[in-house]
Amino acid sequence: MSNLLTGARGEVYGPRETHLTDTFTVLRALPQRRRRLVGAWCFLDLYRADDEGPAGALDLLPHPHIGLQTVTWLFSGEVRHRDSLGNDVRIRPGELNIMTAGSGIAHAETSIPHGVLHGLQFWIALPDRQRGKAPAFEHHAQLPVVDLGGATARVIVGDMRGAASPATVYSALVGAEIAASTGGAISVPLEPAFEYAVLSVDGAVTVDGLGSDGVGLIYVGAGREVMKLQMQADARAFLIGGVPLNEPVLLWWNFVARSTAEMLAAREEWQGGGRFGRVSGFGDRRIDAPPLTMTLRP
Ligand code: MN
């Protein structure tokens, strides 16, 4: 479990263990009850298959998504992504895979059993104007790196200090892995209009004395031009930020939507085979939607 060093101000959130399948547990850092969004970032899972269970146990059969982008970023291990557009891609460490669900896509995520699976999956909520667009998938092996002195930032989406990721996104945001070499006090350039959070992944990471020596999400807020990140040598963190998405976003199962009625319609279409299409290679095997019997509130 994470060992939180909470201070008198700010927000530090421990992740919760969540069963993704019967055999695969993740650490979920977002959403939190008191912090649903950071910019348009609405969901964050950490995969780490080295503590318990066999490495390579990620086995997510075909399932649908709407209204979001998924960002998969691995530190070790490999995942095979197959989707209803016909993409069949190996997701490797240091390479970005970003899937835009838009109006609807189905995909399967299965780990390839060599090495420990360690990585992150984020969801980015699409703004209301963009969420009905056609689904798409992008793979980017070349991503810019920014030298922060004592650490480097690899810019996965958005940009930092003019170093821009080639990935397509639909709101002003940034996501960057920050890997310490010598560590120390690392100055990270920020955009004052963005709100930010830092996920500590490995080693001790603090912001303004707030932090975690395990996995934890440190909410940084908005209005700053620079952030001082204190990092132990070889520590690893992930920065997320963006313009606050002032829209009432609902999350249920694999869907991001705006109303319960919309969730029910998407659920019925998945159960009935509808708009999502098929992921080839699985026959009739797929993940059924759970029942949705309540009214969802943002
Ligand atoms: Mn998925």
Side-chain angles (χ1 to χ4, degrees):
M1 292 303 291
S2 55
N3 178 13
L4 299 179
L5 311 170
T6 48
R9 63 196 175 86
E11 303 170 31
V12 182
Y13 299 101
R16 56 193 183 281
E17 289 194 1
T18 304
H19 290 284
L20 218 53
T21 67
D22 290 345
T23 56
F24 196 79
T25 301
V26 299
L27 292 176
R28 184 155 298 165
L30 201 67
Q32 296 283 343
R33 191 182 302 273
R34 289 174 44 237
R35 181 61 58 192
R36 310 291 292 276
L37 293 163
V38 178
W41 300 90
C42 62
F43 179 94
L44 170 50
D45 271 356
L46 179 92
Y47 302 150
R48 186 165 230 160
D50 52 352
D51 292 325
E52 49 193 52
L58 179 67
D59 186 18
L60 287 176
L61 292 171
H63 59 277
H65 289 286
I66 62 167
L68 56 84
Q69 292 182 291
T70 63
V71 171
T72 307
W73 181 251
L74 300 182
F75 306 118
S76 67
E78 277 190 36
V79 170
R80 184 177 179 187
H81 160 98
R82 281 170 278 183
D83 65 38
S84 51
L85 301 176
N87 295 296
D88 183 350
V89 176
R90 283 183 173 226
I91 301 178
R92 297 191 172 91
E95 299 180 1
L96 171 67
N97 289 269
I98 182 164
M99 180 179 81
T100 303
S103 59
I105 195 169
H107 75 152
E109 300 158 275
T110 51
S111 50
I112 295 165
H114 67 77
V116 169
L117 181 62
H118 185 204
L120 301 168
Q121 182 166 100
F122 304 89
W123 295 357
I124 301 168
L126 290 170
D128 195 46
R129 283 194 329 278
Q130 307 283 359
R131 64 199 185 87
K133 63 187 284 63
F137 180 85
E138 292 178 18
H139 174 94
H140 297 288
Q142 300 294 325
L143 296 161
V145 173
V146 178
D147 184 355
L148 300 176
T152 55
R154 189 174 298 266
V155 184
I156 313 306
V157 297
D159 74 275
M160 178 185 290
R161 208 187 275 160
S165 163
T168 305
V169 291
Y170 297 93
S171 59
L173 51 78
V174 69
E177 179 187 337
I178 301 177
S181 47
T182 56
I186 312 296
S187 291
V188 181
L190 302 184
E191 167 59 55
F194 285 13
E195 60 177 337
Y196 289 93
V198 173
L199 180 78
S200 57
V201 177
D202 283 315
V205 176
T206 62
V207 182
D208 302 336
L210 281 174
S212 170
D213 59 6
V215 175
L217 188 73
I218 308 158
Y219 182 74
V220 177
R224 300 188 189 199
E225 291 185 346
V226 70
M227 170 180 72
K228 286 281 188 198
L229 204 54
Q230 192 71 39
M231 297 181 79
Q232 190 183 35
D234 301 322
R236 173 152 49 196
F238 202 100
L239 175 74
I240 56 174
V243 170
L245 187 72
N246 292 313
E247 297 180 20
V249 169
L250 295 181
L251 264 79
W252 176 79
W253 194 44
N254 294 307
F255 301 145
V256 173
R258 299 294 186 276
S259 70
T260 305
E262 194 186 339
M263 292 291 193
L264 283 166
R267 181 188 182 282
E268 290 309 306
E269 289 195 56
W270 173 246
Q271 294 303 99
R275 71 176 114 143
F276 295 100
R278 289 179 63 84
V279 184
S280 62
F282 292 88
D284 292 331
R285 294 187 307 142
R286 43 172 254 159
I287 301 175
D288 279 325
L292 172 54
T293 54
M294 61 197 168
T295 299
L296 303 173
R297 294 185 194 287

